[in-house]
Amino acid sequence: MGIASGDPTVVPLVSVAPVVPAAPVPVPSRVARSRCRHCPSAQHCPAPKTEAPLVSQAESELFRLHVPSSSRARFIDRLTTSPWTGLPVLIATVWALIAASTAASQPLQAGLNNLISGPVSSAAVRGLRAVGLDGSWVSSFLVGGLLTGVGQLLTFVPLYAFVAASLIALERSGFLARSSAAAHSLMRRLGLPGESMLILVLGFGCNVPSIGAAGHLGSVRHRRVTAILAPLVTCTARLPVYVLVAQAALPGRSAAVVAAMYAMSIGIVLSVAVILRVVMGSPAAVPGDGAFPAAPPLCRPLVLPLLAETLRRLVAFIRGVAVVVTAAVAVAWLLAAIPLGGAPAGSGFGHVPLGHSVLGRTAGAVAPVFGPAGFGDPAVTAALATGVVAKEAMVASFAQTLSSGPVAATSTAAALRQRLADSSGGHPGGAGLALCAFVLAYAPCIPSFAAQRTVMGARWAVSSV
């Protein structure tokens, strides 16, 4: 959780299958072709010549295998598989897609936020008033807890959908596999097989299945190192957190901040891989390690099937995170609702300032640790604690702890900006960037930790944290 580093039932944005070492087949610069009934004017379509293509029979029904000309296919192969141009093209493409997704989702996100904080919240308050529960702890829990927290997360669904569609298109078109092949020699220098690069790329969707795929590597050392690196890949569950913090700390620069986090994630993965190679020594050769799975044929996605696949995965994601996020919000509200000694007069269960609750006092005791980084605020510390359960739950926690009543008087981003400015001495931009970097690198979510324990054992999983 990764929108989803979260519950293991979450369907990742990038489909996952066990990575089985194939015979050493280089990524073809010239793709074999055969006649295709879909193509007019005697055009041809690429046909894979591998026994285990990465595009399955079912997936090929959704994406027509069609490249307009052999010269274009050769140009794309050279551009995306070259060690000099492959990675720069990948980074530039991901940045462009993030910028486009952020810009396209902002109007929808604002509309959903106005809908939830306006008509929906007002209707909920009127309904509770009609049954005599207005002002009670039930109203505080339902409106100030669940509706505020879960509703804030739902406003990022459009952004998640755009990013999901982009990643699905990149993967199914064969672009990601070719970019991974470009980094094959780099992975070998880091003491890892070529398959590890493809496994780490899967982590951009969700870390949990990426860690699970590491269990199929042939060497114990390779499994351990890949499973340690996988949670450092920024998953889509962290994406709403980056965007919310960027909107608060650096308004108008959300796309640049998110792209910087993706670039930082790649840098951290490479740095930790170098350190692990030095600490663990050079790996022993394993038969088949030098092979890299053959790239699938180039595909041009069809719009309607792509939208259908995006919708299916989006619905599956919402179902998967619903229980986790709701439970995290409920626990956070309960801790914030229990008053402690010294609370102002009139305080009671469900109606107590955050600083005088169990959650506020506990978070306040830990907050000074993050003071030098500029985000030593109890509300931020409480959100970081919920992020251990699921990273996407942090957005709901921010909305809940930063609200001043049943419905927040100001937007969550504006309230967070004020908190960061206060805790950093008037430097919310730097504090926001530090917070995003910490969210990227700190403890993985519980499902990711459980997957690490399964792949490499409890001792190594605890050590990796």
Side-chain angles (χ1 to χ4, degrees):
M1 203 352 129
I3 261 169
S5 60
D7 187 29
T9 61
V10 175
V11 176
L13 297 185
V14 181
S15 63
V16 180
V19 179
V20 180
V25 179
V27 178
S29 59
R30 185 184 299 272
V31 184
R33 297 178 176 274
S34 60
R35 287 191 177 274
C36 174
R37 60 185 177 85
H38 296 295
C39 303
S41 305
Q43 293 290 330
H44 299 283
C45 290
K49 298 183 65 176
T50 174
E51 296 181 0
L54 297 183
V55 178
S56 67
Q57 176 79 21
E59 290 167 341
S60 65
E61 295 296 327
L62 296 178
F63 298 88
R64 181 177 300 169
L65 306 182
H66 175 247
V67 178
S69 66
S70 59
S71 60
R72 182 178 298 182
R74 288 195 297 269
F75 173 76
I76 295 175
D77 277 333
R78 286 196 299 268
L79 186 66
T80 56
T81 60
S82 169
W84 299 103
T85 61
L87 289 181
V89 168
L90 173 63
I91 294 173
T93 302
V94 170
W95 181 87
L97 290 175
I98 291 173
S101 299
T102 303
S105 63
Q106 281 180 349
L108 297 175
Q109 182 181 349
L112 283 174
N113 185 59
N114 293 334
L115 176 65
I116 293 172
S117 62
V120 175
S121 295
S122 300
V125 171
R126 287 196 302 269
L128 292 170
R129 184 183 299 118
V131 295
L133 293 176
D134 183 32
S136 65
W137 68 267
V138 177
S139 175
S140 175
F141 172 67
L142 293 178
V143 180
L146 289 181
L147 185 58
T148 300
V150 178
Q152 181 67 39
L153 178 61
L154 290 178
T155 62
F156 288 93
V157 168
L159 174 62
Y160 187 89
F162 282 115
V163 174
S166 301
L167 290 179
I168 292 171
L170 285 181
E171 184 220 0
R172 295 296 191 268
S173 66
F175 181 85
L176 286 184
R178 283 163 169 76
S179 298
S180 299
H184 177 58
S185 60
L186 173 63
M187 300 304 292
R188 298 294 299 166
R189 291 189 180 93
L190 296 176
L192 291 172
E195 298 94 317
S196 292
M197 181 63 188
L198 196 55
I199 291 173
L200 294 176
V201 169
L202 297 177
F204 286 112
C206 179
N207 294 157
V208 176
S210 177
I211 296 171
H216 296 276
L217 295 176
S219 166
V220 174
R221 181 189 184 278
H222 292 161
R223 289 197 296 269
R224 287 173 177 171
V225 174
T226 306
I228 291 173
L229 296 177
L232 299 175
V233 177
T234 186
C235 61
T236 49
R238 297 178 174 98
L239 184 60
V241 184
Y242 297 152
V243 174
L244 176 61
V245 176
Q247 290 174 347
L250 296 167
R253 301 180 182 177
S254 299
V257 172
V258 174
M261 291 302 106
Y262 274 82
M264 182 181 294
S265 172
I266 296 173
I268 292 175
V269 168
L270 296 178
S271 300
V272 173
V274 171
I275 294 174
L276 290 176
R277 173 161 188 148
V278 173
V279 172
M280 301 177 68
S282 299
V286 175
D289 276 352
F292 190 84
L298 292 172
C299 306
R300 178 182 295 169
L302 295 174
V303 175
L304 291 181
L306 175 62
L307 294 178
E309 178 70 2
T310 301
L311 179 61
R312 185 188 70 80
R313 297 194 184 189
L314 182 62
V315 171
F317 169 77
I318 293 175
R319 288 177 178 174
V321 303
V323 175
V324 175
V325 173
T326 301
V329 169
V331 172
W333 177 88
L334 178 62
L335 294 176
I338 301 176
L340 293 178
S347 299
F349 180 74
H351 297 86
V352 58
L354 178 65
H356 297 281
S357 66
V358 173
L359 178 64
R361 291 282 180 85
T362 304
V366 180
V369 175
F370 304 107
F375 52 89
D377 183 85
V380 176
T381 306
L384 291 173
T386 61
V388 176
V389 179
K391 294 298 185 288
E392 59 269 28
M394 291 183 62
V395 174
S397 178
F398 275 130
Q400 184 180 11
T401 56
L402 294 175
S403 63
S404 57
V407 179
T410 58
S411 68
T412 303
L416 179 57
R417 178 177 178 82
Q418 185 60 48
R419 293 295 187 101
L420 292 176
D422 294 341
S423 61
S424 63
H427 302 283
L433 290 176
L435 178 57
C436 287
F438 187 81
V439 171
L440 165 64
Y442 88 119
C445 63
I446 291 177
S448 294
F449 176 80
Q452 283 183 313
R453 183 179 182 275
T454 301
V455 171
M456 57 182 180
R459 183 171 64 88
W460 279 93
V462 173
S463 300
S464 69
V465 173

